[in-house]
Amino acid sequence: MNEQLAGAIERITYYNEENGYSVVKILPEKRYPRAQARDGTVTVVGTMPPLNEGESAQFSGEWVTDRKYGLQFRAHQAFPVPPNTAKGIINYLSSGIVKGIGPRTAEKIVRHLGEETVAILDAEPERVRRVPGLKAALADHLIDAWPKKRAERNVLIYLQGLGISARIAQRIVNEYGAHTQQIISNNPYQLAEDVFAIGFRKADQIARNMGLLSDDPHRLRAGLHYALNELAREGHTFAPRDELLEKAAELLGVDDPAALTVALRGQLMAGKLVEDELGIGGASTPVRLGQLLQGDQQTVKAIYLPRFFRAESAAGQMLNNIARGKSPISRAHQDTDWARYLADLSETHSESLSPQQLNAVRAALTSKVSVLTGGPGTGKTTALQTVINALNDGDFRFNLASPTGRAAKRLAEATKEEASTIHRLLGFSPDEGGFKHDESNPLDADMVVIDEASMLDLQLFHSLHKALQPTTHLMLVGDVDQLPSVGAGNVLRDVIDSGIAHVTRLDQIFRQDAKSHIVSNAHRINQGLAPDTSNQSKDFFFFNVTDPEAVADMMVDIVKRRVPERWGFDPVRDIQVIAPMYRGAAGVHNLNNRLQQELNGDFRQAQVELRSRLFRVGDKVMQTRNNYDKEVFNGDIGFIDSIDDDDNSLQVVIDDRFVDYDYSEMDDLMHAYCISTHRSQGSEYPAVVMPILTQHYMMLQRNLLYTAITRAKQLVILVGTRQAVDIAVNNNKVAERHSGLLHRLRM
């Protein structure tokens, strides 16, 4: 419900200059007995334009009850209203809006100019020079500063008039400054390109509020970019021309394909989009592009966002250059008796390797580009450890890295060697937005090993290649049957299919207890066979429940009571719930709410409600994007340790380290009692509990079920129906990703 509140600003209790979050006390025009303090003020919180004591404002929002401070007004929008009384104007001028003007000086100005002071300063600011006793320097400063301050305020009010919240309005002004109104008037869709947290939909809403028509050329051009970005979110690096036009028409709700074609031609001519012709015939045929064939067509017209075209083209060329070159490692082993060398290496380090594993070790040392893949329990880590032993024995320099901090930590623990995220390895600079290591400053390494390579997306792969010397070996380690990367591209599969790398696929299972079904069921699922759900093992269980609400109830009981009582696992720290979808009774959102209530529902704990989400001390939370200033990364899990309402901040413990978050940064955190399968990639948990229902049919794929199960080290529990399990196991039609990397690697 959207309510209105108006009044004069009595005090500014808190104001964050970066994002506009404010806590203000106002004297309301109407009486609100339940909300007013003893001095008659009402507390208003929210992101607002800069307000000043003494001026009036109108607020739009709703009343909320804070556990600590009682009834408050949460403002979604705030519109400053210039004061119209002498006292109000004095307070306004002396509130800091112009540096150097205090109450006494403000009183001089108002005594001379009267209640029209604000209007005079707006229209004829030079008249302040006539104020008796006002120093000339201060008058000059007021004349210079007043229009700038007023202009910024007017822009913020203008933006809110377009339906933009105060929080987003402040971001826009921070980006464009004095040119804000001009830029938005010329092309409101520019906002989607330049301002964080404003996507096409929000820019489109703003444009429609301004009166732009649905077939406006600006809208059509922006819609093409929006369609490509949406396809990139699905994993595609490009779109076939016809598919792009169809997708854009659907998203924009327009029926004129000719107008979109004209818009596309213009974007291509301007270099805002890139078209490339990818070959489909002959020996270099990328299999996944073959489905685009129509009749005798031998090529596909691929439309790219420039960043993906550059990344794909450069990565393909760089990997080809690396694969063809020589290296200190391969030269050192050019006369090696491999049978004897590998036998001695295994004996020296007390490792017993299978022929497949030994082949992987040899490939890593002789092939400039190699891939080691295989399912759980097949010995990837043992083979990798032997490669590392060989590198150490030969005094070769190497780096170990993974796409995520969780995976890097696991890699370091498994190998007893230093490992890092790829971003940290390359020296990412949050201030400059780039990497320290690139073509001009490559990594000083004879080999770079990337673990969990199935999570590697195209742009990160490109950045990695820019930092590799032509003599460096690249070894990719990962399970190609897991879900592909969240970002665009299908890097690991494309490298495997290209033939450019020596690929070793391990399929002999080593790590398997006769009474354990986690590993065996994972391999059964991967082979298209139904998992054993007889509940005769010690670590894999299935509960047959059909109703989604009953599934949610059962899962809460399993996590809160059954598993802790039988196996002794901590319900919050040891058990991870993984759900295929976000919506529904058995989806991520509802299960997070249910589990928070059951596992951390003590209302005596400090808590804060931010953007309709309740955060409480003790909550399990996950970071949702890389933040290099805080040194926390997408997928890191932590626990809220404290909440400080006075400072509008909270502390989260992540890997035994305290990390501070301002309330304005809470979009970076989500509750993590339940997470999606994609967000579980690169992690391992003692126990995994997963709902699986036919209602999840859109997400029921073999690689999704396989990925979720392989996250568990000691226990897996599925709750749902065998029909849903069968649907997932039998659906091996991995969503096709349009990627030209395979084509470029084969050139």
Side-chain angles (χ1 to χ4, degrees), residues 449-663:
V449 177
I450 303 299
D451 194 24
E452 296 289 354
S454 63
M455 302 173 67
L456 198 56
D457 63 47
L458 173 65
Q459 290 195 289
L460 188 55
F461 190 58
H462 173 224
S463 297
L464 172 67
H465 273 289
K466 288 199 294 184
L468 298 181
Q469 301 182 58
T471 57
T472 301
H473 285 234
L474 176 65
M475 183 181 185
L476 302 179
V477 182
D479 188 345
V480 72
D481 295 315
Q482 289 186 19
L483 288 170
S485 61
V486 175
N490 211 356
V491 170
L492 182 59
R493 187 170 293 279
D494 283 347
V495 171
I496 289 173
D497 290 348
S498 70
I500 199 171
H502 188 296
V503 179
T504 304
R505 181 156 194 155
L506 304 179
D507 55 21
Q508 181 181 347
I509 301 174
F510 295 99
R511 193 185 77 235
Q512 183 175 0
D513 186 318
K515 297 180 180 179
S516 169
H517 282 180
I518 293 179
V519 172
S520 61
N521 274 341
H523 285 273
R524 286 181 63 84
I525 290 168
N526 205 26
Q527 294 161 13
L529 302 173
D532 183 340
T533 57
S534 63
N535 294 346
Q536 297 304 304
S537 74
K538 65 178 183 180
D539 60 4
F540 197 102
F541 298 90
F542 176 84
F543 290 92
N544 188 42
V545 185
T546 57
D547 178 67
E549 293 286 353
V551 167
D553 292 340
M554 170 73 80
M555 294 191 66
V556 170
D557 188 47
I558 287 170
V559 173
K560 181 180 180 181
R561 184 180 63 84
R562 297 192 191 194
V563 171
E565 288 180 2
R566 180 168 175 180
W567 284 277
F569 288 134
D570 184 287
V572 177
R573 296 179 181 270
D574 297 332
I575 304 172
Q576 184 59 60
V577 178
I578 299 175
M581 295 188 72
Y582 279 89
R583 296 180 180 177
V588 171
H589 295 315
N590 185 56
L591 287 173
N592 261 322
N593 291 336
R594 292 284 307 276
L595 290 166
Q596 181 196 39
Q597 182 179 346
E598 293 294 331
L599 302 178
N600 192 34
D602 187 349
F603 291 98
R604 293 171 296 181
Q605 294 274 30
Q607 63 184 34
V608 61
E609 186 175 348
L610 298 168
R611 307 203 228 301
S612 302
R613 295 184 300 159
L614 182 67
F615 292 95
R616 185 177 290 129
V617 167
D619 271 346
K620 183 180 185 179
V621 292
M622 174 181 279
Q623 176 77 12
T624 60
R625 70 179 184 92
N626 292 338
N627 186 319
Y628 298 94
D629 290 329
K630 297 182 186 296
E631 296 189 344
V632 291
F633 304 96
N634 186 10
D636 283 349
I637 286 180
F639 300 89
I640 297 178
D641 181 76
S642 63
I643 295 175
D644 188 343
D645 275 331
D646 294 330
D647 195 37
N648 292 286
S649 67
L650 54 78
Q651 278 193 328
V652 179
V653 178
I654 300 176
D655 291 334
D656 300 321
R657 189 167 58 87
F658 288 90
V659 182
D660 293 315
Y661 288 84
D662 188 87
Y663 283 176

Side-chain angles (χ1 to χ4, degrees), residues 675-701:
I675 60 176
S676 70
T677 313
H678 260 116
R679 290 200 177 276
S680 74
Q681 283 182 276
S683 293
E684 281 188 346
Y685 312 101
V688 166
V689 182
M690 182 183 188
I692 183 161
L693 291 161
T694 54
Q695 285 87 345
H696 299 150
Y697 71 94
M698 291 188 64
M699 297 297 294
L700 292 181
Q701 295 177 337

Side-chain angles (χ1 to χ4, degrees), residues 340-412:
R340 175 173 294 179
Y341 175 79
L342 292 172
D344 291 344
L345 186 65
S346 299
E347 182 179 350
T348 301
H349 296 281
S350 302
E351 296 282 4
S352 178
L353 276 69
S354 70
Q356 283 184 334
Q357 291 172 309
L358 292 172
N359 182 53
V361 175
R362 178 174 177 174
L365 300 175
T366 56
S367 300
K368 292 292 298 304
V369 182
S370 64
V371 173
L372 174 59
T373 187
T378 56
K380 293 192 300 295
T381 302
T382 301
L384 174 57
Q385 184 64 62
T386 305
V387 172
I388 292 171
N389 293 338
L391 294 172
N392 282 326
D393 290 350
D395 290 328
F396 295 112
R397 301 156 302 173
F398 62 91
N399 295 120
L400 306 179
S402 293
T404 68
R406 297 161 293 155
K409 184 177 180 181
R410 285 177 50 212
L411 179 60

Side-chain angles (χ1 to χ4, degrees), residues 5-8 26-32 36 40 42 56-58 81 84:
L5 175 68
I26 73 164
L27 287 171
E29 293 179 356
K30 299 179 181 179
R31 291 186 68 249
Y32 298 92
Q36 286 178 273
V42 168
S56 297
Q58 286 187 311
V81 178
N84 54 18

Side-chain angles (χ1 to χ4, degrees), residues 1-12 20 22-29 32 42-52 55-63 72-81 153 160 166:
M1 183 177 178
N2 210 30
E3 300 186 64
Q4 305 297 317
L5 175 68
I9 309 299
E10 183 73 10
R11 295 189 302 280
I12 309 295
S22 307
V23 179
V24 302
K25 303 285 188 179
I26 73 164
L27 287 171
E29 293 179 356
Y32 298 92
V42 168
T43 301
V44 182
V45 299
T47 306
M48 313 172 194
L51 299 173
N52 295 279
E55 70 179 321
S56 297
Q58 286 187 311
F59 303 94
S60 175
E62 75 269 350
W63 293 97
Q72 299 178 334
F73 193 83
R74 180 188 292 147
H76 301 310
Q77 292 184 311
F79 300 96
V81 178
R153 297 283 298 285
Q160 290 192 50

